[in-house]
Amino acid sequence: MLEIADLEVAFETRMGHVKVVSDFSLSVARGECVGIVGESGAGKTQALLAVMGLLPRGARVSGSARLQGEELLGRGAGALDEFRGARIAMIFQDPLTALTPHMRVGDQIAEVLVRHRRLSWSAGRERALELLRAVHIADAERRLRQYPHELSGGMRQRVMIAMALACEPDVLIADEPTTALDVTVQAQILALLAELKRTRGMSLVLVTHDLGVIAGLADRVAVMYAGRLVEQGTARAVLKAPRHPYTRALLDSMPRLDVPSSEPLRAIRGQPPDPRALPAGCAFHPRCDLAADLCRSARPRLRPTGDGMVACHRPLGAAAGEEGPTS
Amino acid sequence: MTNALLRVVGLRVRFAAGRGASVHALDGVDLELREGEALGVVGESGCGKSTLVRAILQLVRPTSGTVVWLGRALDEMPARELRSARRDLQIVFQDPLASLDPRMTVGEIVAEPLRIHRPDLNAEARRREVHQMLARVGLPPDAAARYPHQFSGGQCQRIGIARAMILRPKLLVCDEPVSALDVSVQAQIIELLHDLKRECGTALLFVSHNLAVVRRLCERLLVLYLGRMMELGPTDAIYADPRHPYTRALLEAIPVPDPDVQPARLSHVLPGEPPSPLSPPSGCVFRTRCPHAVEVCARQVPSWETDSAGRGIACVRWREIGPESA
Amino acid sequence: MSEVATPIESGLWTDVWQRLRRRRSVHAAAGVLALLVFLAWIGPALSPHAYDALDWERMGAPPQLEAAHWLGTDRLGRDLFVRTLHALRLSLLIGLLAALVSVLIGITWGAVAGYFGGRVDAVMMRTVDVLYSLPYVFIVIVLASLFERGSLAALFLAIGAVGWLTMARIVRGQTLALRRREFIEAAIACGAGSGSILVRHVVPNVIGPVVVYATLTVPQMILFESFLSFLGLGVQEPLASLGSLINDGAREMESAPWLLVFPAGVLMLLLVSFSVLGDGLRDALDPRAE
């Protein structure tokens, strides 16, 4: 469905050329949910904005991103518009800034349909009402006529989702869709996304820093660190038996309800690296307990391991034959 | 209890909401904090936790009720005394960068409480204290001469903690100190707070929307909803046996990073969103989302019941609902 | 461990100075300004002519080396070089003094009103509004009737009375926005008094727009002075300010263009250097602008 290969994103800044995403390859099958995990600055949002053609001017993008075989990268804004919103849609962390403040939410949803599906405004509004019901907004008729600021955060995110669904896209990209929301509302939105994925067979790319959010939805998980993929595999494999020490450490640092509270949280030492000054070798080595000399000098390549991929010289739980020097 | 550090009695804060209407951001909160104790305050946005923090610190004037600090009502103190009382009452804010003056060096920021409350120290002694404190919170020695924007979020929060702890206050109030940080950094900050609390014997009032975070730091827990107290008690007891339906819902909503468990947790989600505080529901404010609500909940404001184990709850039906079924 | 030895509390101003020194445009602007100030002070002594001496032989003469009228003479035969520099001296003095007054009163007034808010703010800002709504001309006429013609004291009063109003509004607006920022709350929670918060946290954070506006105030005041002179309140003949020279020059633009070109050129140079300096200062004041 969506095939991203060798994606690279760099910015020209006053401080020089800064690469924020390197060698990023990912494929998403029909009806599949792929979760992308990483901390701020890991490049997960930049990679997806690049696919959507939404990066600011000054960004250099190379590689390819194909939606059902059709290349998305390098198209002009006009050519991209037949994809964006129609066949591939995106929702953001902060729905208030992503919605137009002076337009009724019903009209905003209808506008998408008027533009892409050439519906009349009245037909568009009718469809908008159905969509609001589909995302379980109570009292949908009234909400249709309200402005974004009159809605709560959770409701706004539902409106964003309704808007993204308007043209029945093949792929929905959700960038930290629940980070700004309260826990109970977060659970509702996640349940809604799970339902939509199930009932509509839509492909979903879910970007988040919260492994718990990923666990409920994703079929496959990709972990990013410092602009690169470090691990990829089925959700069960990655979350239950991670191969990369970073993934392990992320899991360990989460405060959990199922361990005694007297046990200290196992924090990852240090800070996520500055993309302008990445460490040599494996970018994670200064924070890694297992780092060896090789990790400090050579960057590990992403290699297949069983049913996933990992970029580590010393992966966890490696079978005897699996570990070895990489070229 | 005689050795109460902080006592909050019947605290209410009302904000004008235009056209003569008003909002009860906080409606009747009573609590007590002993020396060296850590109390967690949890709830969703709009539950009044930030208002509670600000009212305790007298950054917001309570509409009624008092805040008693070491036996004296803070709201009755003259301005000068209140300022000197603040020496022992420090705060760490949610947004690490916004709480640091962008035009000041980190050294100046951390030295500010010393400058105000320890005028006896000369510049040299002050500098030594600042460097010690920066080292204690894990910042490099050259941090003092740099500016806040040159640091990452986690480091800025360390600066904020250094400023708050440099006078070894008796109470440290934390207003969502880790919610703006990356997961890996969150754990660092929580462990730092945990260690500082033990070393300095500082009491903590720790506000968060994340119950899992609170659990590591706090011995007792207060759950707020729409400005009202829902449940209060020892943290472990509440986690093991949450009595209030809202506390249960909060616990169930925490995502668990286990693909075998988490999808099922998403299938029973608390519906709805907190109602507008402009027109709170009659009776129990939680009844509009409560799976156990019955007709009596709409009529009767639940009274605050306490038991011998120090647990308190505001729910008319908690005994009938029984232990968690899910 | 040289870092440990760095003073931690000299902070902002030492850093501002260092950042300022790194900027080439600031060097150029400061150089031009220094040259202008220098010329204004000692320039008139370089010429054999006095600013009010009439040269009966060369009235309205174009620039020439003969008789040392380097920039020519005006209709009455007065040497334009000396008059321009003399005027520059007066205008600089007026402009800088007015800007200083406007900065001092404006910051204090605006920061206090914005920080305390409520009734204090209402009373203080209504005062500003009232002063704003009084026509300049009215204030000027009242002052002119109280003081003798050409009194510099009256001139400063008139300029001072209006100069700080806009500054106070700018500072108040900035302060209102600042007051809601968490670092102000943090300072209150630390136990800092209002005075100390204003001086240590509010003023340094509003200084950026203040500096830019102040550098704009200098030229504005120089022009305002020429308007007052026209009404008989400012600098009077035979004294001259840049404003009055330009006014006079504009009237004879066609027959004696040099009378306009040279004073206007000096004024322009002054304006450009001030605004470059202001921009540089604003950037230097913001540690984040690196």
Side-chain angles (χ1 to χ4, degrees):
Chain A
M1 180 62 62
L2 181 65
E3 285 282 347
I4 304 173
D6 304 321
L7 185 70
E8 198 169 293
V9 180
F11 287 96
E12 298 299 338
T13 68
R14 272 191 294 170
M15 325 285 275
H17 190 76
V18 179
K19 252 193 218 178
V20 292
V21 178
S22 311
D23 299 333
F24 181 82
S25 300
L26 189 76
S27 68
V28 186
R30 179 178 295 279
E32 185 185 37
C33 172
V34 176
I36 302 181
V37 201
E39 296 177 275
S40 54
K44 46 198 198 310
T45 299
Q46 306 301 339
L48 294 170
L49 286 178
V51 170
M52 294 293 286
L54 291 174
L55 283 174
R57 225 171 289 186
R60 303 256 178 289
V61 180
S62 64
S64 98
R66 291 166 185 277
L67 183 64
Q68 287 176 311
E70 288 177 82
E71 182 61 51
L72 295 172
L73 297 187
R75 284 176 186 256
L80 258 181
D81 271 343
E82 67 185 80
F83 291 94
R84 279 197 303 224
R87 294 172 55 189
I88 179 164
M90 188 160 181
I91 59 177
F92 300 91
Q93 174 174 344
D94 184 353
L96 187 55
T97 52
L99 290 166
T100 309
H102 61 268
M103 244 173 119
R104 296 174 201 277
V105 296
D107 293 350
Q108 298 197 38
I109 301 172
E111 193 190 16
V112 180
L113 290 160
V114 172
R115 192 151 34 111
H116 286 299
R117 289 286 147 94
R118 313 221 173 283
L119 291 188
S120 68
W121 276 96
S122 64
R125 284 198 192 94
E126 234 164 81
R127 181 90 182 90
L129 184 64
E130 288 167 32
L131 284 163
L132 286 187
R133 289 199 178 117
V135 296
H136 309 302
I137 286 190
D139 210 357
E141 287 91 344
R142 193 162 62 87
R143 301 295 176 200
L144 211 57
R145 288 188 301 273
Q146 286 186 318
Y147 292 92
H149 69 91
E150 296 175 281
L151 305 178
S152 69
M155 213 109 70
R156 280 183 214 129
Q157 197 55 281
R158 287 178 196 269
V159 170
M160 279 300 297
I161 295 173
M163 221 160 126
L165 292 179
C167 295
E168 286 159 14
D170 303 317
V171 179
L172 175 65
I173 298 176
D175 184 10
E176 302 268 7
T178 60
T179 308
L181 305 175
D182 281 314
V183 264
T184 58
V185 182
Q186 160 169 291
Q188 292 169 11
I189 297 290
L190 294 176
L192 170 65
L193 287 174
E195 177 197 320
L196 292 172
K197 176 191 150 216
R198 201 172 53 240
T199 56
R200 303 190 172 221
M202 193 173 58
S203 302
L204 186 62
V205 179
L206 178 67
V207 178
T208 175
H209 66 273
D210 189 334
L211 292 164
V213 165
I214 289 275
L217 280 177
D219 303 302
R220 280 193 306 127
V221 174
V223 183
M224 278 185 94
Y225 189 79
R228 290 174 186 274
L229 280 177
V230 294
E231 181 164 9
Q232 196 188 139
T234 64
R236 183 159 287 107
V238 173
L239 295 177
K240 296 216 124 175
R243 308 294 307 273
H244 199 285
Y246 174 63
T247 317
R248 175 80 263 162
L250 261 189
L251 278 163
D252 285 344
S253 68
M254 287 189 72
R256 297 180 65 147
L257 292 172
D258 47 3
V259 293
S261 63
S262 54
E263 206 171 287
L265 301 174
R266 276 173 289 178
I268 309 178
R269 60 170 184 264
Q271 309 288 328
D274 182 343
R276 286 168 301 191
L278 288 181
C282 170
F284 185 60
H285 84 255
R287 307 176 75 189
C288 181
D289 291 330
L290 301 175
D293 286 342
L294 181 61
C295 308
R296 284 180 265 275
S297 54
R299 194 176 56 233
R301 287 168 197 283
L302 204 58
R303 292 177 293 136
T305 58
D307 54 355
M309 310 258 270
V310 67
C312 180
H313 294 305
R314 315 186 65 195
L316 300 164
E322 216 178 296
E323 189 177 0
T326 48
S327 50
Chain B
M1 270 168 263
T2 50
N3 57 346
L5 190 65
L6 175 80
R7 223 149 40 82
V8 173
V9 186
L11 199 64
R12 284 194 165 72
V13 178
R14 202 164 39 202
F15 293 117
R19 278 186 246 134
S22 68
V23 174
H24 264 109
L26 216 52
D27 197 358
V29 171
D30 300 87
L31 57 92
E32 203 169 271
L33 199 62
R34 287 181 300 276
E35 227 157 281
E37 187 191 25
L39 174 70
V41 180
V42 295
E44 296 176 284
S45 51
C47 76
K49 35 187 210 302
S50 287
T51 309
L52 175 64
V53 162
R54 280 165 177 73
I56 288 176
L57 291 174
Q58 305 292 308
L59 297 171
V60 166
R61 285 269 157 196
T63 313
S64 68
T66 49
V67 177
V68 182
W69 172 249
L70 294 170
R72 296 197 53 199
L74 282 178
D75 40 328
E76 289 164 11
M77 277 190 196
R80 183 178 297 270
E81 279 176 52
L82 177 62
R83 282 213 299 276
S84 62
R86 290 192 188 281
R87 175 183 171 154
D88 285 320
L89 258 168
Q90 295 285 328
I91 177 168
V92 174
F93 291 91
Q94 169 171 13
D95 184 339
L97 190 54
S99 65
L100 306 175
D101 188 332
R103 303 281 165 119
M104 279 191 169
T105 60
V106 169
E108 288 177 283
I109 290 169
V110 176
E112 180 144 27
L114 289 176
R115 211 181 45 78
I116 297 165
H117 297 286
R118 295 285 305 276
D120 54 304
L121 290 184
N122 61 22
E124 176 56 34
R126 198 149 61 196
R127 211 188 64 206
R128 223 174 16 242
E129 291 264 330
V130 167
H131 281 286
Q132 263 170 22
M133 197 64 221
L134 288 177
R136 177 62 197 88
V137 299
L139 287 168
D142 66 336
R146 286 152 66 193
Y147 290 90
H149 72 274
Q150 297 170 306
F151 293 90
S152 68
Q155 286 173 315
C156 282
Q157 201 55 289
R158 287 172 194 271
I159 298 168
I161 292 172
R163 168 177 62 190
M165 288 303 291
I166 197 161
L167 292 169
R168 317 250 147 180
K170 292 196 168 73
L171 173 64
L172 181 66
V173 177
C174 301
D175 185 11
E176 302 252 15
V178 297
S179 60
L181 305 177
D182 274 317
V183 200
S184 73
V185 181
Q186 274 187 17
Q188 294 174 359
I189 298 294
I190 290 168
E191 286 307 309
L192 174 64
L193 286 169
H194 187 266
D195 295 346
L196 285 172
K197 167 187 172 246
R198 247 200 344 225
E199 281 165 34
C200 309
T202 303
L204 275 186
L205 188 73
F206 191 95
V207 169
S208 179
H209 64 273
N210 186 336
L211 280 136
V213 166
V214 171
R215 183 160 167 267
R216 169 70 182 136
L217 282 172
C218 302
E219 292 105 54
R220 283 199 304 146
L221 187 64
L222 169 65
V223 182
L224 289 179
Y225 185 78
L226 221 64
R228 277 82 165 170
M229 290 169 64
M230 297 288 115
E231 187 163 8
L232 173 73
T235 311
D236 289 336
I238 290 189
Y239 280 85
D241 166 33
R243 287 176 181 167
H244 199 286
Y246 180 58
T247 314
R248 287 185 195 176
L250 274 182
L251 282 168
E252 275 165 22
I254 299 173
V256 172
D258 184 336
D260 294 331
V261 176
Q262 178 62 9
R265 285 169 75 88
L266 287 182
S267 62
H268 49 265
V269 163
L270 183 73
E273 296 185 31
S276 159
L278 267 173
S279 51
S282 64
C284 170
V285 285
F286 184 60
R287 71 173 163 85
T288 49
R289 299 173 75 193
C290 183
H292 308 284
V294 289
E295 181 260 343
V296 66
C297 301
R299 267 190 293 117
Q300 182 186 340
V301 177
S303 56
W304 186 251
E305 291 177 49
T306 49
D307 69 8
S308 55
R311 293 189 65 166
I313 189 167
C315 175
V316 278
R317 299 196 64 206
W318 75 268
R319 271 175 240 273
E320 303 164 47
I321 302 166
E324 193 167 2
S325 46
Chain C
M1 296 293 278
S2 64
E3 292 90 0
V4 180
T6 8
I8 54 167
E9 292 185 44
S10 57
L12 187 65
W13 299 106
T14 355
D15 287 354
V16 166
W17 180 240
Q18 273 173 8
R19 280 192 290 260
L20 209 50
R21 281 188 8 188
R22 271 196 299 247
R23 275 163 212 273
R24 217 171 263 179
S25 59
V26 169
H27 281 234
V32 170
L33 271 181
L35 184 72
L36 288 175
V37 171
F38 179 75
L39 277 177
W41 239 248
I42 67 120
L46 296 177
S47 165
H49 306 284
Y51 74 92
D52 54 352
L54 312 180
D55 186 338
W56 300 98
E57 278 153 36
R58 296 175 192 81
M59 289 182 170
Q64 53 187 273
L65 287 175
E66 204 184 325
H69 291 306
W70 299 311
L71 301 185
T73 61
D74 67 6
R75 208 160 28 89
L76 299 176
R78 292 177 296 193
D79 182 63
L80 187 62
F81 177 75
V82 176
R83 283 184 71 72
T84 304
L85 293 186
H86 209 84
L88 176 64
R89 185 194 295 181
L90 258 177
S91 290
L92 266 176
L93 196 70
I94 291 168
L96 288 176
L97 221 61
L100 192 73
V101 168
S102 105
V103 166
L104 287 182
I105 305 184
I107 287 189
T108 319
W109 199 273
V112 167
Y115 182 71
F116 289 102
R119 205 167 293 167
V120 176
D121 181 38
V123 170
M124 290 179 86
M125 291 327 282
R126 286 307 83 72
T127 313
V128 169
D129 292 346
V130 167
L131 286 176
Y132 241 122
S133 61
L134 292 177
Y136 286 168
V137 182
F138 174 74
I139 301 178
V140 169
I141 289 171
V142 169
L143 285 171
S145 67
L146 290 178
F147 291 84
E148 61 180 290
R149 197 174 159 78
S151 153
L152 285 184
L155 179 67
F156 283 130
L157 262 175
I159 291 180
V162 296
W164 63 275
L165 296 175
T166 311
M167 184 66 85
R169 281 192 171 171
I170 292 175
V171 173
R172 177 202 173 241
Q174 297 279 327
T175 310
L176 274 182
L178 274 179
R179 198 174 56 151
R180 278 186 276 273
R181 299 269 295 273
E182 271 188 351
F183 68 85
I184 298 287
E185 227 175 18
I188 299 174
C190 267
S194 306
S196 139
I197 290 176
L198 279 172
V199 173
R200 290 176 58 83
H201 298 285
V202 175
V203 171
N205 278 290
V206 299
I207 211 88
V210 165
V211 162
V212 174
Y213 188 71
T215 53
L216 293 176
T217 312
V218 175
Q220 238 176 32
M221 288 303 154
I222 290 174
L223 295 175
F224 186 48
E225 180 277 330
S226 75
F227 159 72
L228 291 182
S229 306
F230 180 74
L231 290 178
L233 191 73
V235 174
Q236 295 301 315
E237 291 278 351
L239 283 173
S241 64
L242 284 179
S244 64
L245 281 186
I246 291 169
N247 248 342
D248 295 346
R251 261 178 250 140
E252 292 173 55
M253 202 161 60
E254 277 163 37
S255 57
W258 61 89
L259 288 179
L260 177 63
V261 169
F262 292 114
V266 169
L267 181 64
M268 215 169 70
L269 218 53
L270 197 65
L271 303 195
V272 171
S273 342
F274 264 115
S275 73
V276 170
L277 197 65
D279 275 359
L281 207 55
R282 178 197 53 200
D283 291 347
L285 278 163
D286 188 349
R288 286 162 298 185
E290 308 249 297

